[in-house]
Amino acid sequence: MKQMNSAELVRNYFKAYEMNEKEALEQLLCQDFTFRSPVDDQIDRQTYFAKCWPSCKDIDRYYIQNLFTEGDEAIIRYECVLKSGATFQNMEHFRFNGTQIKEVIVYFGFDLRSDPIRQCESAKA
């Protein structure tokens, strides 16, 4: 596998989900990979694939809105479009061991079109 920079690792991570390419994702993640989210408390690589990977069947496309890298870390903000047409936004923090992804921490976002607070603020304007 060609050595990739941090931005390429992140982009290829999301591309693996879009293309339903589990083998590609397996190559990107360290053996000691960990994943955290508001509903996942530092799960290991095996648990991540069992719990998170099946969602790729629902994903149509990711739109990367921001991608910042510095040293062995990256932060990305994106919009995900599901095959159902629903969308959501998240932010993720990546850590790398140089050639692979060591850790991902997800910060869940929301669908602006269905956020009741945002709708109320728009109605006031």
Side-chain angles (χ1 to χ4, degrees):
M1 180 168 76
K2 163 189 164 273
Q3 177 122 2
M4 291 179 256
N5 66 38
S6 299
E8 289 174 313
L9 285 168
V10 172
R11 289 180 191 283
N12 287 340
Y13 173 91
F14 289 99
K15 183 60 75 181
Y17 271 92
E18 287 178 341
M19 304 303 293
N20 194 8
E21 294 179 350
K22 185 177 180 185
E23 288 180 7
L25 188 60
E26 288 173 330
Q27 291 180 20
L28 295 172
L29 304 183
C30 295
Q31 288 302 312
D32 62 346
F33 171 80
T34 58
F35 180 84
R36 297 183 205 182
S37 79
V39 297
D40 300 294
D41 187 20
Q42 196 163 341
I43 60 176
D44 63 17
R45 187 177 197 265
Q46 182 178 356
T47 306
Y48 169 80
F49 277 108
K51 186 173 182 182
C52 301
W53 176 252
S55 70
C56 73
K57 71 180 179 350
D58 300 320
I59 294 170
D60 181 46
R61 177 112 174 101
Y62 285 98
Y63 292 101
I64 295 173
Q65 296 166 331
N66 305 99
L67 175 56
F68 304 101
T69 63
E70 185 172 329
D72 65 350
E73 298 183 64
I75 294 178
I76 185 170
R77 183 173 66 97
Y78 60 85
E79 179 177 14
C80 180
V81 179
L82 301 177
K83 290 179 182 172
S84 69
T87 64
F88 62 88
Q89 294 182 13
N90 283 346
M91 291 187 76
E92 299 191 13
H93 177 219
F94 284 73
R95 285 188 38 227
F96 311 98
N97 75 350
T99 60
Q100 290 181 301
I101 299 167
K102 181 169 182 61
E103 178 182 44
V104 174
I105 304 171
V106 176
Y107 301 90
F108 291 160
F110 50 87
D111 180 346
L112 294 174
R113 293 169 293 190
S114 65
D115 179 34
I117 294 173
R118 183 72 111 207
Q119 288 174 356
C120 288
E121 289 172 354
S122 296
K124 291 178 188 176

